[in-house]
Amino acid sequence: MPNIDNPTGKTLAQLGVTRPDQVSPFFADLRVTFDANLALVHEETEWKMLRDRWLARKSGVLTLITDNWLKPASPDLKRAVGAGLNELRSHVESQIESRRAAIETGADQSALTRDRIDLSLPGVTRPIGSHHLIRQVFQEIEDIFFSIGFSVVEGPEIETPYYNFEALNIPEFHPVRDDMDTFYLDLPKGAPSPLLLRTHTSPMQIRTMEKQKPPVRVIVPGKVYRRDNPDATHSFIFHQVEGLAVDTDITFCDFTGTIEYFVKQFFGPGVKTRFRPSYFPFTEPSVEFDVTCIFCGGTGTAAGGGVCSKCKGAGWIELFGAGMVDPAVYGFVNYDAKKVSGFAFGMGIDRLAMLKYQIDDIQVFFQNDVRFLKQFP
Ligand code: PHE
């Protein structure tokens, strides 16, 4: 029986082999061992270990056989050892090579399965958004005023009391400051002046006139803030477009004509406008502009009979405040009140959008619900 404990580390003499017919069982055994080793090889690192164990130049099994069995063999054994060795070598080499190929294509196969692109899957779509309805209404209003020579300016949402109130003829203890329910910023102690979120876009009247001499024709779209409890018609953030026109010869007729032109462009030629006396510290006279109710056509009666719920039967809807610029305001910007005159208006954009698009809750503008936004692509 061949010596199973590493027979290749010994010479044939040490293994007790003296006759050629004793040689082949050793090779047969080695072949069985090799085949058993080979059966356990499934991936590259295992394969490398097998290859090194059998074929490594210095201490591989085949080298050991050459060194320990073949070289020292007596001439009559050499033939049998040489034949056995050749046969074992070609078996080992060819099996190792074909296992290498099998592992490689197997690995390729699994990589292919892993990376395969599934063309039947739906593609990744990135829906293109659209402008928010408020943004669209700003745009419509800007276009209308562009067409009659106004330009657009924008200003800061954080203001000083001077621009938000004082320079607009609203001194510190003036009662209209109460209406404004202002948000003041929490500033560190020792800050030079209080700051607030602007309660209207009117501060931009002052900032514009400080920067430029008459003639002035600007509109100011923007966000404004007032401490209000949210409900269907109130929000602590809303949007305004301020308008200001100042020149040497602007009359009340220019003022009403401009407003009427705007309203007809925006709501359609069928609507009528009217104005009622009102009060703002920075305009004199001041007015409130109304339009005929968009919902009942100014009749005060709902489509199905009964009182129109939107205008409460009045046939008119209050639209926005406006007036001729109060001469006192010119004093704050170094305009000569004797030489110039002008008008100003401030429209609530959320309200205009709600009327035009028949939306009955202002909160939808701020909720970002795509089901609402998608209705205005
Ligand atoms: N700023 C006023 C408001 O927000 C509106 C207004 C603007 C009135 C310009 C007259 C002139 O209520």
Side-chain angles (χ1 to χ4, degrees):
M1 278 294 290
N3 187 343
I4 300 297
D5 318 326
N6 194 15
T8 55
K10 299 179 173 148
T11 60
L12 290 178
Q14 284 168 329
L15 291 168
V17 176
T18 49
R19 298 188 316 272
D21 64 303
Q22 292 173 302
V23 169
S24 69
F26 282 94
F27 281 105
D29 253 8
L30 284 169
R31 190 177 168 128
V32 168
T33 308
F34 172 79
D35 288 346
N37 286 176
L38 181 71
L40 299 174
V41 168
H42 299 295
E43 45 95 6
E44 199 181 332
T45 40
E46 293 165 350
W47 175 85
K48 277 187 178 152
M49 279 164 65
L50 181 77
R51 178 201 59 189
D52 294 347
R53 175 146 188 251
W54 288 85
L55 297 178
R57 210 159 262 162
K58 273 200 179 137
S59 54
V61 173
L62 296 181
T63 304
L64 293 177
I65 295 172
T66 310
D67 292 348
N68 297 334
W69 292 2
L70 186 65
K71 286 183 183 161
S74 60
D76 39 328
L77 288 181
K78 251 199 177 114
R79 191 170 235 282
V81 174
L85 179 58
N86 282 342
E87 202 190 310
L88 182 65
R89 181 188 302 282
S90 75
H91 177 68
V92 166
E93 283 178 351
S94 71
Q95 288 301 306
I96 281 183
E97 175 52 25
S98 65
R99 181 53 54 98
R100 186 196 61 77
I103 287 172
E104 216 163 67
T105 50
D108 284 358
Q109 210 74 59
S110 55
L112 265 183
T113 332
R114 208 170 45 239
D115 300 341
R116 206 182 69 213
I117 294 169
D118 183 350
L119 296 174
S120 68
L121 281 174
V124 180
T125 50
R126 299 185 197 286
I128 296 170
S130 60
H131 282 148
H132 191 281
L133 181 59
I134 293 293
R135 184 64 248 160
Q136 295 181 33
V137 170
F138 271 143
Q139 200 77 53
E140 282 179 54
I141 295 172
E142 287 167 19
D143 287 346
I144 295 168
F145 281 100
F146 278 150
S147 74
I148 50 174
F150 282 72
S151 48
V152 174
V153 291
E154 285 185 19
E157 288 173 23
I158 295 177
E159 268 296 5
T160 62
Y162 177 78
Y163 285 107
N164 199 79
F165 298 123
E166 271 110 83
L168 288 163
N169 207 26
I170 312 174
E172 187 161 3
F173 297 106
H174 195 290
V176 304
R177 289 212 191 186
D178 296 344
D179 294 345
M180 294 279 194
D181 280 325
T182 313
F183 287 114
Y184 283 88
L185 270 69
D186 232 346
L187 295 174
K189 276 212 170 57
S193 138
L195 292 174
L196 51 94
L197 297 180
R198 66 178 175 192
T199 58
H200 50 181
T201 41
S202 303
M204 277 308 287
Q205 292 187 28
I206 307 301
R207 290 184 179 277
T208 307
M209 289 190 283
E210 276 182 349
K211 271 212 210 103
Q212 97 186 59
K213 291 284 150 216
V216 169
R217 276 180 191 77
V218 293
I219 55 165
V220 188
K223 275 199 194 83
V224 300
Y225 304 83
R226 288 183 204 177
R227 204 178 56 80
D228 243 332
N229 291 322
D231 64 21
T233 53
H234 294 85
S235 164
F236 47 82
I237 302 178
F238 56 102
H239 304 83
Q240 289 190 330
V241 170
E242 190 83 8
L244 175 69
V246 181
D247 208 338
T248 49
D249 53 359
I250 290 188
T251 66
F252 200 83
C253 287
D254 297 319
F255 167 45
T256 54
T258 305
I259 298 296
E260 200 157 315
Y261 172 78
F262 164 73
V263 168
K264 285 192 162 36
Q265 291 291 309
F266 187 78
F267 287 112
V271 295
K272 291 197 185 72
T273 54
R274 74 172 184 189
F275 55 86
R276 293 172 289 115
S278 184
Y279 173 75
F280 299 100
F282 39 94
T283 46
E284 181 60 35
S286 302
V287 302
E288 205 70 58
F289 257 94
D290 296 348
V291 284
T292 42
C293 179
I294 324 291
F295 300 95
C296 64
T299 60
T301 311
V307 173
C308 171
S309 65
K310 305 295 173 176
C311 65
K312 311 220 161 55
W316 294 93
I317 286 185
E318 190 181 309
L319 211 53
F320 54 84
M324 300 301 286
V325 177
D326 192 311
V329 171
Y330 296 130
F332 288 96
V333 295
N334 287 324
Y335 277 19
D336 185 345
K338 292 206 185 68
K339 290 196 180 132
V340 296
S341 57
F343 62 83
F345 54 85
M347 335 195 246
I349 300 317
D350 312 75
R351 192 172 162 70
L352 287 186
M354 287 166 77
L355 288 173
K356 181 162 179 174
Y357 296 99
Q358 315 219 340
I359 293 161
D360 56 12
D361 184 359
I362 193 174
Q363 300 303 325
V364 295
F365 292 136
F366 306 102
Q367 287 161 343
N368 282 337
D369 185 331
V370 285
R371 289 170 301 180
F372 167 71
L373 300 174
K374 271 187 176 164
Q375 294 174 49
F376 305 97

